[in-house]
Amino acid sequence: MRYRRTGFVVGFLAAPVLLYVIYVIAPYAQAFYIALTNWRGVNASPEFIGLENFRRLFEDSVFWKAVWHNLLLLILMPVLTLGIALFFAFLLNVGGKSGVTGIWGSKFYRVVFFFPQVLAVAIVAVLFQQVFRPDRSGMLNAPLIAAGLEPIGFLSNPDVAFWSVLGVLVWQAVGFYVVLFSAGMASVPKDMFEAAAIDGAGRLALFFRVTLPLLWDTIQVGWVYLGIAALDVFAVVWVMTAEHGGPDSSTTVMAAEIYRNAFQYFRFGYASAMGVVLFFFTVGFAALSLRLSRRERIEF
């Protein structure tokens, strides 16, 4: 009976595993090989050059700018997104007057918070291009100009552009995690919150001593997802910013440099080397995050 069950499971898994190997593992393996060549495109014959592309990466100042921006996003995007999402989810589910129920209209607010997830990333980028316009048609600069103040170059000032991109990324991501954390809080028995409130726990104590420990597994998963998303913010940067990562490479990220080198400069070998670095960044971050955030599971 056991052998029949094993054969049944293997039979069902064979096709998905084969497709995964063909469409995921094989392209990764090809990318590792192409990173060791100077391949220029489909019609060019690749020449094996060893680790030359990786040596060039260490001398590429634009690439290191992209790495720095990704590292900043890797830290700031999960911290800001999860912090804001936890705050709003707590208000919607626990932060009412009684301390154990949500605020009035919480179901409506969940829909409002989730709305940015319905929009495609490219649409969000184009939308905020208009929001950040430096003239009277820009939603943020119009009041400043009307008040006689200098408009802010949200996407034209190198000192401001990166933070503008970060704000858009956080704005788009928060809604999903508000809904995710709300679902997690809804699954916690209200008796726990009521017991803590009876024992004299205020809202801060409810949040830090009850809510956070019970949601830790969900927060851990969200941190990993947001970290991976922070390493792949190509669409927003490419569509929204000047010069596709400008001005003066102030918003560029590794994914944008990979695309630029591959499809504008036709340096596929060099772009693949960047892709290999990004791959190890992603895997390393996921493994490190899961390791450092591991805690004893709380059952309820």
Side-chain angles (χ1 to χ4, degrees):
M1 186 68 181
R2 181 181 300 173
Y3 293 113
R4 285 186 179 180
R5 185 172 61 184
T6 302
F8 179 78
V9 172
V10 170
F12 266 94
L13 290 179
V17 169
L18 180 62
L19 291 174
Y20 186 81
V21 169
I22 293 173
Y23 292 107
V24 178
I25 302 299
Y28 273 125
Q30 289 177 338
F32 275 80
Y33 169 72
I34 293 172
L36 303 175
T37 71
N38 65 349
W39 190 42
R40 302 281 297 181
V42 177
N43 297 325
S45 299
E47 176 187 353
F48 185 82
I49 58 174
L51 299 176
E52 178 64 20
N53 285 324
F54 294 95
R55 185 193 66 79
R56 288 175 56 196
L57 283 179
F58 283 98
E59 301 173 354
D60 190 340
S61 60
V62 175
F63 174 73
W64 284 109
K65 275 188 177 182
V67 171
W68 173 242
H69 294 151
N70 273 120
L71 288 176
L72 282 177
L73 291 173
L74 197 59
I75 297 170
L76 297 175
M77 188 175 165
V79 169
L80 293 174
T81 302
L82 295 180
I84 295 171
L86 279 169
F87 173 74
F88 283 126
F90 184 75
L91 288 180
L92 295 178
N93 292 273
V94 187
K97 290 183 179 180
S98 65
V100 294
T101 58
I103 61 175
W104 182 84
S106 58
K107 293 182 179 179
F108 170 74
Y109 289 126
R110 287 193 192 101
V111 175
V112 173
F113 281 126
F114 191 77
F115 180 72
Q117 293 294 315
V118 179
L119 301 176
V121 178
I123 293 176
V124 171
V126 172
L127 174 67
F128 274 92
Q129 264 188 333
Q130 304 306 311
V131 171
F132 290 145
R133 283 179 65 91
D135 51 33
R136 292 184 180 276
S137 61
M139 188 177 75
L140 297 180
N141 276 315
L144 297 179
I145 295 173
L149 301 175
E150 258 330 283
I152 300 173
F154 289 102
L155 298 178
S156 58
N157 186 340
D159 297 327
V160 180
F162 173 80
W163 305 105
S164 301
V165 172
L166 175 61
V168 173
L169 294 171
V170 172
W171 176 86
Q172 187 194 23
V174 160
F176 173 80
Y177 292 95
V178 169
V179 175
L180 181 66
F181 293 146
S182 294
M185 292 178 191
S187 67
V188 177
K190 292 296 182 184
D191 296 345
M192 290 189 174
F193 294 112
E194 291 173 355
I198 291 172
D199 288 340
R203 285 185 173 84
L204 285 178
L206 281 175
F207 182 75
F208 287 104
R209 295 177 179 270
V210 180
T211 306
L212 278 184
L214 294 177
L215 287 180
W216 187 254
D217 288 343
T218 308
I219 296 170
Q220 181 187 45
V221 173
W223 186 279
V224 173
Y225 282 173
L226 281 167
I228 294 174
L231 292 171
D232 182 25
V233 292
F234 168 77
V236 170
V237 169
W238 195 262
V239 175
M240 189 175 73
T241 61
E243 304 166 13
H244 308 302
D248 193 25
S249 301
S250 60
T251 59
T252 192
V253 290
M254 283 190 279
E257 291 307 310
I258 291 170
Y259 184 90
R260 195 190 320 276
N261 279 275
F263 299 106
Q264 289 188 348
Y265 305 148
F266 299 103
R267 299 190 296 211
F268 288 90
Y270 191 54
S272 293
M274 292 183 180
V276 169
V277 174
L278 180 58
F279 169 80
F280 282 112
F281 259 97
T282 306
V283 173
F285 167 77
L288 185 63
S289 296
L290 291 174
R291 178 68 177 175
L292 294 179
S293 60
R294 183 181 300 171
R295 288 189 180 183
E296 185 178 350
R297 184 179 178 86
I298 299 176
E299 299 289 346
F300 57 88

